[in-house]
């Protein structure tokens, strides 16, 4: 306990799923948290259950003015911002022929412009304080391509690349930026009805661990990267995927050896 004692974090998409798990874990580790989401009722309930060290802000991540409100809430309530977790995202399953320009722009707006605006909002504070950790939640889709998900994949690769650029920009100020790449995780994005069976789905996906991941497992990865334990780690990507992408690497090596 206490791995984030005295720190202040902004966590987007925190009304449920990975974001909620991250907010609860960070608070358990001594962090004050500002939870944001467009789902106001859920976000308010999560913040209320955490207690005095939590605040909720209804937040459209694509709106720069909303980001100003979030940062000011953090400063008014807790006096600083040490950590940003860009978790909010939407997904899209569509072949490119069936994906319109408006579809692409909508996904890019939430999944790329949102983190971009968040980083712009907090980076001056972190640079002035000469400390900070930015954790961008990408995806295994930011490490590979996936059939029928060109718009989503483009976003998650963009988040990965942006993270590396921010790592370089922040390095002189002791501001770190890393990306987390979840695989198949039991959240409303993957399991909106809450009815799937973990092991059959994992077999269908070819996940070596043989099961779907849990939100807390992603939250613990974010906790490590946000904490001082990761003080010399920046510009890295951490896959939380039950060896899913490791299998892709092994297959490519086997093909190279066969050739």
């Amino acid at each position: 306990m206490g791995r984030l004692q005295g720190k202040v974090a902004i966590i987007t998409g925190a009304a449920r799923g990975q974001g909620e798990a991250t907010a609860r874990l960070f608070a358990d580790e001594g962090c004050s948290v500002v939870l944001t989401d467009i789902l106001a009722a859920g976000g308010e309930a999560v913040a209320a259950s955490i207690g005095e060290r939590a605040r909720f802000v209804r937040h459209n991540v694509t709106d720069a003015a909303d980001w100003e409100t979030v940062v000011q809430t953090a400063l008014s309530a807790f006096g600083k911002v040490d950590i940003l977790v860009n978790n909010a995202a939407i997904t899209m399953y569509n072949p490119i022929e069936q994906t319109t320009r408006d579809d692409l722009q909508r996904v890019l707006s939430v999944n790329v412009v949102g983190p971009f605006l968040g980083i712009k909002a907090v980076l001056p504070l972190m640079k002035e304080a000469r400390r900070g950790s930015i954790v961008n939640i990408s995806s295994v889709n930011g490490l590979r391509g996936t059939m029928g998900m060109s718009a989503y994949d483009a976003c998650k690769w963009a988040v990965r690349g942006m993270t590396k650029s921010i790592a370089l920009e922040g390095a002189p100020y002791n501001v770190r930026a890393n990306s987390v790449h979840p695989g198949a995780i039991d959240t409303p994005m993957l399991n909106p009805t809450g009815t799937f069976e973990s092991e059959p789905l994992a077999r269908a996906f070819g996940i070596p661990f043989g099961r779907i991941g849990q939100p807390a497992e992603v939250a613990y990865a974010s906790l490590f990267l946000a904490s001082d334990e990761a003080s010399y780690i920046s510009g890295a990507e951490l896959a939380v995927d039950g060896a899913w992408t490791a299998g892709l690497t092994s297959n490519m090596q086997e093909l190279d050896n066969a050739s």
Side-chain angles (χ1 to χ4, degrees):
M1 305 293 285
R3 295 167 70 185
L4 298 180
Q5 192 66 43
K7 296 186 183 294
V8 177
I10 295 170
I11 304 168
T12 68
R16 61 185 187 178
Q18 291 172 180
E20 177 184 353
T22 302
R24 293 187 184 280
L25 178 61
F26 279 25
D28 287 344
E29 293 289 344
C31 192
S32 297
V33 291
V34 176
L35 299 76
T36 89
D37 209 302
I38 59 170
L39 302 174
E44 288 168 355
V46 173
S49 69
I50 291 173
E52 286 301 314
R53 285 188 292 106
R55 300 289 187 276
F56 173 75
V57 180
R58 189 184 186 283
H59 177 207
N60 175 357
V61 296
T62 71
D63 189 322
D66 272 14
W67 272 108
E68 291 180 12
T69 300
V70 170
V71 170
Q72 287 304 313
T73 299
L75 294 177
S76 297
F78 306 120
K80 59 179 181 172
V81 177
D82 299 297
I83 301 161
L84 170 64
V85 180
N86 278 312
N87 170 75
I90 59 175
T91 192
M92 178 177 292
Y93 303 90
N94 258 344
I96 194 166
E97 298 97 328
Q98 298 172 21
T99 302
T100 67
R101 179 170 179 166
D102 286 346
D103 290 335
L104 175 62
Q105 288 181 328
R106 180 170 63 89
V107 179
L108 286 170
S109 184
V110 175
N111 294 2
V112 180
V113 176
F116 172 84
L117 292 175
I119 293 166
K120 281 180 65 72
V122 304
L123 190 58
L125 297 173
M126 292 181 174
K127 289 170 70 174
E128 183 178 0
R130 303 193 72 83
R131 67 176 183 276
S133 178
I134 296 166
V135 180
N136 291 325
I137 307 300
S138 179
S139 169
V140 291
N141 294 50
L143 300 171
R144 64 175 191 194
T146 310
M147 185 179 293
M149 298 188 72
S150 58
Y152 183 77
D153 289 6
C155 295
K156 293 307 184 178
W157 279 83
V159 168
R160 179 185 175 193
M162 180 165 55
T163 302
K164 293 185 181 298
S165 294
I166 301 307
L168 295 173
E169 292 184 25
Y173 303 92
N174 195 36
V175 175
R176 299 180 294 105
N178 295 285
S179 55
V180 174
H181 296 257
I185 308 297
D186 187 2
T187 68
M189 181 181 286
L190 178 68
N191 185 19
T193 64
T195 58
F196 75 48
E197 295 183 35
S198 176
E199 292 183 6
L201 186 60
R203 285 196 298 271
F205 284 166
I207 298 171
F209 266 38
R211 65 174 177 83
I212 302 302
Q214 294 301 309
E217 295 176 298
V218 180
Y220 272 106
S222 297
L223 170 63
F224 169 65
L225 292 173
S227 76
D228 293 339
E229 296 164 14
S231 59
Y232 201 56
I233 299 175
S234 195
E237 56 255 351
L238 177 55
V240 185
D241 67 351
W244 202 0
T245 49
L248 298 175
T249 303
S250 298
N251 291 338
M252 288 188 291
Q253 290 172 342
E254 289 170 8
L255 290 171
D256 289 341
N257 293 336
S259 64

